Amino acid sequence: MSRAARKLDHIHHALSTGQSQTHGFEDIRFVHNSIPELSVNDVDLTSKIGELKLSSPIFINAMTGGGGDDTRSINQQLAEVAQECGIGMAVGSQMAAIRNTEERKSYEVVREMHPNGIIFANLGSEATADQAKDAIDMLEASALQIHVNVIQELVMPEGDRDFTNTLKRIEEINREIDVPLIVKEVGYGMNKNTAGQLESVGVKIVDVGGFGGTNFSKIENERRVRKLRYFDDWGIETTSSIIEVTKGDQNLSIISSGGLQSALDITKSIALGASATGFAGYFLKILMGSGQQALIDEINEMHEDLKMLMTALNSKTLNQLQGVPLVISGKTRDWCEQRGIK
Ligand code: FNR
């Protein structure tokens, strides 16, 4: 199967396996405050990850790898949405365009449509530093995402089987590029030890990519004869993963992703310590099912809802939201207790 056909298969299966919403946000409850001294109009949604300034914590996460006309079309539509809503956007893996220059236009269209926007380049952790520089140049990217996706590779019939020297390659890429590096998971979450390893090689931003949304084990198992079902329920839920990284010894900027679907999920993510939030499967489903305008409306409503929620929580800025009191119950509390995280 060609790379482009495999990626189309991903989109099809991502939409049909659905978003399980077992991300842990249901375990987080805010402590209501009856006297917030704040006006909705004064709420400020700007954020920062590492040195990167964002006008909104919401961004469209990586989805369109593989190249081909479908990649180009989806990239163009997503970039137009990002431009219209004033949010950032990541592209899917650019490896196809690095190996075949014909494919570059499927990615370059993103910068054309979103000329002054925040755009993240994307490659897997098998990439070399030169490939990373090429991916960044292709988009005049604001940052580079390197995805780590061991479980997806293991379940993928034609996936990688050798994961040695990953940290070394990440370190080298980080040293060679001149934009911020984001290391991201794709739906299995990150633990505090992983965050520590990444910080030790100079990484400053991680996207926890937690369990509970798009499930790549289920997606890849659809394409296997002998299914590896034991990976279908594998990974750290998004809430627990944010807590692993924030409560560890690290001083990393955190992006929350994995199953996010609402302004309330964003608010809870930030309150747990994240600085930005990535949406993949949920946005793709709206785009493919209801069209571009529906996705624009959804994002605009999320911005409005976020201001409402922040007002209720007496938080004028995302920085203030990061400190609001909350109560954690259920499996997220169990996770924290057994992991010794306070
Ligand atoms: C993805 N994702 C992804 N991530 C990445 O770093 N490079 C990639 O090429 C892709 N490709 C891709 C295709 C499709 C169709 C989907 C749905 C997703 C993973 C994505 O960025 C995100 O980490 C996970 O999907 C979890 O977030 P959601 O979908 O639960 O919001």
Side-chain angles (χ1 to χ4, degrees):
M1 183 182 275
S2 74
R3 188 181 283 258
R6 189 176 81 221
K7 295 294 173 173
L8 258 190
D9 234 29
H10 279 167
I11 291 176
H12 170 73
H13 290 311
L15 297 178
S16 63
T17 53
Q19 295 273 305
S20 61
Q21 282 204 273
T22 50
H23 39 40
F25 287 112
E26 63 284 0
D27 295 336
I28 311 299
R29 218 173 152 84
F30 288 114
V31 179
H32 172 62
N33 170 11
S34 303
I35 312 180
E37 298 275 353
L38 191 59
S39 160
V40 173
N41 286 333
D42 291 337
V43 172
D44 173 6
L45 296 183
T46 58
S47 190
K48 242 179 125 188
I49 44 172
E51 292 307 304
L52 208 59
K53 287 197 179 115
L54 307 175
S55 54
S56 159
I58 302 173
F59 73 94
I60 301 170
N61 219 343
M63 276 183 284
T64 47
D69 289 345
D70 293 293
T71 292
R72 186 191 161 93
S73 159
I74 294 172
N75 268 343
Q76 173 161 351
Q77 292 181 62
L78 289 173
E80 284 168 357
V81 169
Q83 159 78 11
E84 177 70 25
C85 298
I87 64 173
M89 169 179 169
V91 298
S93 175
Q94 292 163 263
M95 199 48 103
I98 284 173
R99 296 200 172 128
N100 175 3
T101 49
E102 291 279 289
E103 297 288 359
R104 292 176 83 94
K105 57 184 186 307
S106 304
Y107 298 87
E108 285 162 352
V109 68
V110 172
R111 181 49 83 196
E112 280 161 37
M113 295 300 131
H114 200 10
N116 303 312
I118 295 283
I119 295 174
F120 300 153
N122 184 290
L123 283 173
S125 56
E126 75 282 7
T128 63
D130 282 343
Q131 289 172 331
K133 284 191 218 167
D134 194 7
I136 294 164
D137 290 347
M138 202 184 301
L139 298 170
E140 296 163 52
S142 328
L144 170 70
Q145 291 181 327
I146 290 288
H147 61 263
V148 282
N149 63 339
V150 173
I151 303 296
Q152 180 188 6
E153 294 290 342
L154 288 174
V155 184
M156 208 189 296
E158 67 279 40
D160 291 341
R161 294 291 180 266
D162 177 4
F163 304 100
T164 52
N165 294 322
T166 301
L167 200 59
K168 206 169 140 212
R169 280 192 301 277
I170 290 174
E171 180 175 25
E172 210 170 293
I173 289 171
N174 194 38
R175 207 176 37 235
E176 296 287 324
I177 63 175
D178 50 17
V179 295
L181 176 65
I182 300 166
V183 177
K184 79 180 278 273
E185 253 291 354
V186 301
Y188 298 93
M190 264 184 212
N191 71 45
K192 56 185 174 186
N193 187 43
T194 306
Q197 286 175 292
L198 291 170
E199 191 172 52
S200 78
V201 298
V203 175
K204 298 206 162 48
I205 310 169
V206 295
D207 177 340
V208 298
F211 182 80
T214 300
N215 184 322
F216 270 102
S217 176
K218 286 189 181 164
I219 292 171
E220 299 296 351
N221 266 324
E222 289 293 318
R223 303 169 48 239
R224 282 187 77 96
V225 178
R226 191 173 82 74
K227 317 278 183 200
L228 308 188
R229 287 287 173 218
Y230 42 83
F231 284 133
D232 283 0
D233 189 27
W234 186 282
I236 309 169
E237 273 109 9
T238 304
T239 48
S240 300
S241 193
I242 299 170
I243 297 168
E244 284 265 340
V245 183
T246 44
K247 302 283 181 185
D249 300 328
Q250 297 77 37
N251 194 17
L252 292 159
S253 279
I254 298 170
I255 295 171
S256 162
S257 76
L260 271 63
Q261 296 204 9
S262 70
L264 185 59
D265 294 343
I266 300 171
T267 310
K268 289 177 176 178
S269 295
I270 311 264
L272 287 175
S275 302
T277 50
F279 288 72
Y282 180 62
F283 280 180
L284 185 65
K285 193 163 189 158
I286 296 173
L287 181 74
M288 305 297 264
S290 311
Q292 230 180 350
Q293 189 56 47
L295 182 54
I296 292 170
D297 293 344
E298 175 76 19
I299 296 167
N300 287 340
E301 278 172 24
M302 273 186 189
H303 280 146
E304 275 175 39
D305 290 344
L306 200 47
K307 288 186 177 177
M308 297 290 196
L309 286 156
M310 287 174 68
T311 303
L313 292 165
N314 198 22
S315 301
K316 192 174 170 188
T317 63
L318 295 180
N319 219 349
Q320 286 170 359
L321 181 58
Q322 285 178 332
V324 300
L326 47 82
V327 173
I328 302 174
S329 63
K331 61 186 178 193
T332 307
R333 187 173 84 174
D334 292 348
W335 183 278
C336 295
E337 272 176 13
Q338 291 191 34
R339 294 278 295 153
I341 302 169
K342 292 227 169 55

